[in-house]
Amino acid sequence: MSETAPDCIFCKIVAGEVPADVLGRNDHAVSIKDLNPQAPFHALVISADHHDNAAASAAADPASVGHLVSLADEVAKASGNDDYRLIANTGAGAGQTVFHTHLHVLGGSSRMTETLV
Ligand code: AMP
Ligand code: ZN
């Protein structure tokens, strides 16, 4: 069963109601290019079902987050980025602006070697 939220931009992208540059998909997620890239390669992996964040998706279905990571790995490698960084902003205080589960997949930047953690 698919869960959606009205007026959610990522639900609309998953449904094909808002155009996006699609890089790949599986049964659980869609990957698109980020509209405002922060690295030479910047994809989003958006969950098919609407949950506010990755933790909420994991609580609803632990395997769902694994499917997001698998698609992230696929699109990164398909674009030649064997090394990449995954980010899941969780909460406005961490910079989250779209409250529908998504991973940022970043690659190709010299800034990738800076360590945040
Ligand atoms: P976050 O700040 O972690 O919630 O990330 C939301 C991301 O979605 C930002 O990097 C935006 O640039 C991106 N974004 C928002 N709307 C769109 C859209 N219609 N197509 C592609 N990326 C988008
Ligand atoms: Zn949504």
Side-chain angles (χ1 to χ4, degrees), residues 83-113:
D83 297 346
Y84 57 86
R85 183 171 291 177
L86 297 182
I87 295 175
N89 294 327
T90 302
Q96 188 177 5
T97 58
V98 179
F99 292 85
H100 175 131
T101 303
H102 59 280
L103 300 178
H104 294 261
V105 192
L106 300 162
S109 167
S110 57
R111 288 165 61 212
M112 306 300 296
T113 54

mmCIF file of all heavy atoms in Angstrom, residues 83-113:
data_model
loop_
_atom_site.group_PDB
_atom_site.id
_atom_site.type_symbol
_atom_site.label_atom_id
_atom_site.label_comp_id
_atom_site.label_asym_id
_atom_site.label_seq_id
_atom_site.Cartn_x
_atom_site.Cartn_y
_atom_site.Cartn_z
ATOM 1 N N ASP A 83 33.033 6.433 -4.881
ATOM 2 C CA ASP A 83 33.106 7.004 -3.528
ATOM 3 C C ASP A 83 32.074 8.125 -3.438
ATOM 4 O O ASP A 83 32.001 8.982 -4.328
ATOM 5 C CB ASP A 83 34.496 7.578 -3.263
ATOM 6 C CG ASP A 83 35.577 6.503 -3.310
ATOM 7 O OD1 ASP A 83 35.231 5.307 -3.281
ATOM 8 O OD2 ASP A 83 36.753 6.878 -3.382
ATOM 9 N N TYR A 84 31.294 8.114 -2.419
ATOM 10 C CA TYR A 84 30.218 9.107 -2.293
ATOM 11 C C TYR A 84 29.836 9.248 -0.831
ATOM 12 O O TYR A 84 30.238 8.456 0.023
ATOM 13 C CB TYR A 84 29.006 8.685 -3.133
ATOM 14 C CG TYR A 84 28.449 7.325 -2.783
ATOM 15 C CD1 TYR A 84 27.521 7.157 -1.763
ATOM 16 C CD2 TYR A 84 28.887 6.177 -3.459
ATOM 17 C CE1 TYR A 84 27.022 5.909 -1.425
ATOM 18 C CE2 TYR A 84 28.399 4.926 -3.131
ATOM 19 C CZ TYR A 84 27.468 4.800 -2.121
ATOM 20 O OH TYR A 84 26.978 3.560 -1.789
ATOM 21 N N ARG A 85 29.069 10.283 -0.588
ATOM 22 C CA ARG A 85 28.603 10.537 0.777
ATOM 23 C C ARG A 85 27.083 10.538 0.800
ATOM 24 O O ARG A 85 26.448 11.145 -0.066
ATOM 25 C CB ARG A 85 29.132 11.893 1.257
ATOM 26 C CG ARG A 85 28.756 12.228 2.691
ATOM 27 C CD ARG A 85 29.492 13.473 3.170
ATOM 28 N NE ARG A 85 30.927 13.207 3.316
ATOM 29 C CZ ARG A 85 31.827 14.140 3.671
ATOM 30 N NH1 ARG A 85 31.446 15.380 3.886
ATOM 31 N NH2 ARG A 85 33.091 13.818 3.802
ATOM 32 N N LEU A 86 26.502 9.866 1.796
ATOM 33 C CA LEU A 86 25.050 9.870 1.987
ATOM 34 C C LEU A 86 24.714 10.775 3.166
ATOM 35 O O LEU A 86 25.383 10.707 4.206
ATOM 36 C CB LEU A 86 24.532 8.466 2.317
ATOM 37 C CG LEU A 86 24.721 7.384 1.258
ATOM 38 C CD1 LEU A 86 24.103 6.076 1.747
ATOM 39 C CD2 LEU A 86 24.079 7.816 -0.053
ATOM 40 N N ILE A 87 23.689 11.587 2.980
ATOM 41 C CA ILE A 87 23.228 12.460 4.068
ATOM 42 C C ILE A 87 21.716 12.333 4.171
ATOM 43 O O ILE A 87 21.015 12.355 3.154
ATOM 44 C CB ILE A 87 23.619 13.930 3.791
ATOM 45 C CG1 ILE A 87 25.148 14.087 3.810
ATOM 46 C CG2 ILE A 87 22.971 14.871 4.809
ATOM 47 C CD1 ILE A 87 25.644 15.474 3.441
ATOM 48 N N ALA A 88 21.236 12.210 5.385
ATOM 49 C CA ALA A 88 19.792 12.218 5.639
ATOM 50 C C ALA A 88 19.519 13.291 6.693
ATOM 51 O O ALA A 88 19.618 13.022 7.902
ATOM 52 C CB ALA A 88 19.310 10.849 6.114
ATOM 53 N N ASN A 89 19.254 14.512 6.232
ATOM 54 C CA ASN A 89 18.916 15.581 7.174
ATOM 55 C C ASN A 89 17.626 15.198 7.890
ATOM 56 O O ASN A 89 16.651 14.791 7.248
ATOM 57 C CB ASN A 89 18.738 16.911 6.437
ATOM 58 C CG ASN A 89 20.023 17.417 5.826
ATOM 59 O OD1 ASN A 89 21.096 17.203 6.375
ATOM 60 N ND2 ASN A 89 19.929 18.090 4.680
ATOM 61 N N THR A 90 17.624 15.318 9.187
ATOM 62 C CA THR A 90 16.457 14.912 9.974
ATOM 63 C C THR A 90 16.080 16.040 10.927
ATOM 64 O O THR A 90 16.782 16.300 11.901
ATOM 65 C CB THR A 90 16.761 13.618 10.748
ATOM 66 O OG1 THR A 90 17.134 12.599 9.804
ATOM 67 C CG2 THR A 90 15.549 13.140 11.530
ATOM 68 N N GLY A 91 15.004 16.766 10.558
ATOM 69 C CA GLY A 91 14.553 17.892 11.357
ATOM 70 C C GLY A 91 15.075 19.213 10.807
ATOM 71 O O GLY A 91 16.167 19.285 10.242
ATOM 72 N N ALA A 92 14.253 20.254 11.002
ATOM 73 C CA ALA A 92 14.604 21.584 10.487
ATOM 74 C C ALA A 92 15.941 22.063 11.046
ATOM 75 O O ALA A 92 16.712 22.729 10.352
ATOM 76 C CB ALA A 92 13.493 22.576 10.820
ATOM 77 N N GLY A 93 16.216 21.708 12.279
ATOM 78 C CA GLY A 93 17.459 22.134 12.911
ATOM 79 C C GLY A 93 18.690 21.511 12.275
ATOM 80 O O GLY A 93 19.809 21.996 12.474
ATOM 81 N N ALA A 94 18.493 20.451 11.496
ATOM 82 C CA ALA A 94 19.599 19.803 10.782
ATOM 83 C C ALA A 94 19.564 20.168 9.303
ATOM 84 O O ALA A 94 20.281 19.567 8.505
ATOM 85 C CB ALA A 94 19.528 18.288 10.969
ATOM 86 N N GLY A 95 18.698 21.126 8.941
ATOM 87 C CA GLY A 95 18.665 21.587 7.558
ATOM 88 C C GLY A 95 17.626 20.915 6.683
ATOM 89 O O GLY A 95 17.586 21.155 5.472
ATOM 90 N N GLN A 96 16.781 20.075 7.269
ATOM 91 C CA GLN A 96 15.760 19.422 6.436
ATOM 92 C C GLN A 96 14.706 20.444 6.011
ATOM 93 O O GLN A 96 14.203 21.214 6.849
ATOM 94 C CB GLN A 96 15.092 18.266 7.202
ATOM 95 C CG GLN A 96 14.157 17.438 6.322
ATOM 96 C CD GLN A 96 13.533 16.246 7.052
ATOM 97 O OE1 GLN A 96 13.715 16.077 8.261
ATOM 98 N NE2 GLN A 96 12.801 15.437 6.322
ATOM 99 N N THR A 97 14.406 20.467 4.718
ATOM 100 C CA THR A 97 13.406 21.406 4.198
ATOM 101 C C THR A 97 12.223 20.691 3.559
ATOM 102 O O THR A 97 11.148 21.266 3.437
ATOM 103 C CB THR A 97 14.028 22.356 3.149
ATOM 104 O OG1 THR A 97 14.584 21.578 2.088
ATOM 105 C CG2 THR A 97 15.107 23.229 3.782
ATOM 106 N N VAL A 98 12.436 19.451 3.121
ATOM 107 C CA VAL A 98 11.333 18.657 2.556
ATOM 108 C C VAL A 98 11.112 17.471 3.490
ATOM 109 O O VAL A 98 12.006 16.623 3.658
ATOM 110 C CB VAL A 98 11.650 18.168 1.126
ATOM 111 C CG1 VAL A 98 10.495 17.336 0.582
ATOM 112 C CG2 VAL A 98 11.920 19.367 0.197
ATOM 113 N N PHE A 99 9.929 17.426 4.068
ATOM 114 C CA PHE A 99 9.664 16.437 5.115
ATOM 115 C C PHE A 99 9.018 15.178 4.539
ATOM 116 O O PHE A 99 7.895 14.802 4.884
ATOM 117 C CB PHE A 99 8.856 17.100 6.252
ATOM 118 C CG PHE A 99 9.704 18.121 6.962
ATOM 119 C CD1 PHE A 99 9.812 19.419 6.468
ATOM 120 C CD2 PHE A 99 10.464 17.768 8.069
ATOM 121 C CE1 PHE A 99 10.641 20.351 7.082
ATOM 122 C CE2 PHE A 99 11.301 18.691 8.698
ATOM 123 C CZ PHE A 99 11.392 19.981 8.196
ATOM 124 N N HIS A 100 9.775 14.594 3.642
ATOM 125 C CA HIS A 100 9.467 13.302 3.015
ATOM 126 C C HIS A 100 10.821 12.605 2.899
ATOM 127 O O HIS A 100 11.773 13.188 2.352
ATOM 128 C CB HIS A 100 8.814 13.526 1.642
ATOM 129 C CG HIS A 100 8.551 12.283 0.844
ATOM 130 N ND1 HIS A 100 7.333 11.990 0.236
ATOM 131 C CD2 HIS A 100 9.376 11.249 0.521
ATOM 132 C CE1 HIS A 100 7.427 10.840 -0.417
ATOM 133 N NE2 HIS A 100 8.669 10.367 -0.247
ATOM 134 N N THR A 101 10.909 11.383 3.380
ATOM 135 C CA THR A 101 12.196 10.670 3.482
ATOM 136 C C THR A 101 13.003 10.715 2.183
ATOM 137 O O THR A 101 12.503 10.347 1.122
ATOM 138 C CB THR A 101 11.939 9.195 3.841
ATOM 139 O OG1 THR A 101 11.192 9.159 5.058
ATOM 140 C CG2 THR A 101 13.254 8.431 4.000
ATOM 141 N N HIS A 102 14.242 11.172 2.329
ATOM 142 C CA HIS A 102 15.157 11.169 1.182
ATOM 143 C C HIS A 102 16.589 11.147 1.664
ATOM 144 O O HIS A 102 16.918 11.646 2.729
ATOM 145 C CB HIS A 102 14.929 12.384 0.277
ATOM 146 C CG HIS A 102 15.112 13.714 0.971
ATOM 147 N ND1 HIS A 102 14.141 14.267 1.776
ATOM 148 C CD2 HIS A 102 16.158 14.577 0.992
ATOM 149 C CE1 HIS A 102 14.573 15.417 2.249
ATOM 150 N NE2 HIS A 102 15.800 15.638 1.801
ATOM 151 N N LEU A 103 17.434 10.562 0.831
ATOM 152 C CA LEU A 103 18.877 10.598 1.046
ATOM 153 C C LEU A 103 19.476 11.529 0.013
ATOM 154 O O LEU A 103 19.065 11.530 -1.144
ATOM 155 C CB LEU A 103 19.502 9.206 0.838
ATOM 156 C CG LEU A 103 19.018 8.064 1.718
ATOM 157 C CD1 LEU A 103 19.734 6.769 1.306
ATOM 158 C CD2 LEU A 103 19.279 8.370 3.191
ATOM 159 N N HIS A 104 20.467 12.306 0.432
ATOM 160 C CA HIS A 104 21.314 13.030 -0.505
ATOM 161 C C HIS A 104 22.490 12.114 -0.838
ATOM 162 O O HIS A 104 23.077 11.506 0.064
ATOM 163 C CB HIS A 104 21.873 14.312 0.122
ATOM 164 C CG HIS A 104 20.838 15.341 0.433
ATOM 165 N ND1 HIS A 104 20.591 16.417 -0.383
ATOM 166 C CD2 HIS A 104 19.981 15.445 1.484
ATOM 167 C CE1 HIS A 104 19.629 17.151 0.146
ATOM 168 N NE2 HIS A 104 19.238 16.596 1.280
ATOM 169 N N VAL A 105 22.831 12.029 -2.130
ATOM 170 C CA VAL A 105 23.986 11.250 -2.571
ATOM 171 C C VAL A 105 24.940 12.245 -3.228
ATOM 172 O O VAL A 105 24.598 12.841 -4.264
ATOM 173 C CB VAL A 105 23.604 10.167 -3.593
ATOM 174 C CG1 VAL A 105 24.758 9.191 -3.791
ATOM 175 C CG2 VAL A 105 22.328 9.441 -3.187
ATOM 176 N N LEU A 106 26.098 12.459 -2.613
ATOM 177 C CA LEU A 106 27.035 13.487 -3.071
ATOM 178 C C LEU A 106 28.327 12.835 -3.506
ATOM 179 O O LEU A 106 28.864 11.963 -2.815
ATOM 180 C CB LEU A 106 27.321 14.468 -1.923
ATOM 181 C CG LEU A 106 26.096 15.207 -1.379
ATOM 182 C CD1 LEU A 106 26.394 15.785 -0.001
ATOM 183 C CD2 LEU A 106 25.686 16.315 -2.327
ATOM 184 N N GLY A 107 28.828 13.283 -4.668
ATOM 185 C CA GLY A 107 30.090 12.730 -5.145
ATOM 186 C C GLY A 107 30.810 13.709 -6.044
ATOM 187 O O GLY A 107 30.245 14.709 -6.493
ATOM 188 N N GLY A 108 32.080 13.420 -6.272
ATOM 189 C CA GLY A 108 32.848 14.165 -7.260
ATOM 190 C C GLY A 108 33.423 15.475 -6.788
ATOM 191 O O GLY A 108 33.940 16.245 -7.587
ATOM 192 N N SER A 109 33.349 15.753 -5.499
ATOM 193 C CA SER A 109 33.874 17.017 -4.996
ATOM 194 C C SER A 109 35.110 16.789 -4.144
ATOM 195 O O SER A 109 35.168 15.831 -3.372
ATOM 196 C CB SER A 109 32.803 17.709 -4.149
ATOM 197 O OG SER A 109 33.361 18.774 -3.424
ATOM 198 N N SER A 110 36.090 17.691 -4.263
ATOM 199 C CA SER A 110 37.268 17.590 -3.397
ATOM 200 C C SER A 110 36.879 17.794 -1.944
ATOM 201 O O SER A 110 37.570 17.347 -1.029
ATOM 202 C CB SER A 110 38.324 18.613 -3.810
ATOM 203 O OG SER A 110 37.761 19.899 -3.764
ATOM 204 N N ARG A 111 35.745 18.467 -1.729
ATOM 205 C CA ARG A 111 35.257 18.672 -0.348
ATOM 206 C C ARG A 111 34.843 17.359 0.305
ATOM 207 O O ARG A 111 34.674 17.281 1.516
ATOM 208 C CB ARG A 111 34.081 19.650 -0.338
ATOM 209 C CG ARG A 111 34.495 21.079 -0.604
ATOM 210 C CD ARG A 111 33.301 21.947 -0.950
ATOM 211 N NE ARG A 111 32.324 21.999 0.126
ATOM 212 C CZ ARG A 111 31.017 22.121 -0.073
ATOM 213 N NH1 ARG A 111 30.533 22.187 -1.293
ATOM 214 N NH2 ARG A 111 30.187 22.163 0.941
ATOM 215 N N MET A 112 34.682 16.295 -0.523
ATOM 216 C CA MET A 112 34.289 15.008 0.039
ATOM 217 C C MET A 112 35.333 14.457 0.998
ATOM 218 O O MET A 112 35.030 13.587 1.804
ATOM 219 C CB MET A 112 34.063 13.980 -1.069
ATOM 220 C CG MET A 112 33.083 14.396 -2.141
ATOM 221 S SD MET A 112 31.451 14.735 -1.528
ATOM 222 C CE MET A 112 31.026 13.145 -0.940
ATOM 223 N N THR A 113 36.558 14.932 0.850
ATOM 224 C CA THR A 113 37.597 14.388 1.735
ATOM 225 C C THR A 113 37.640 15.131 3.071
ATOM 226 O O THR A 113 38.332 14.717 3.984
ATOM 227 C CB THR A 113 38.983 14.456 1.065
ATOM 228 O OG1 THR A 113 39.225 15.793 0.638
ATOM 229 C CG2 THR A 113 39.048 13.525 -0.145
#
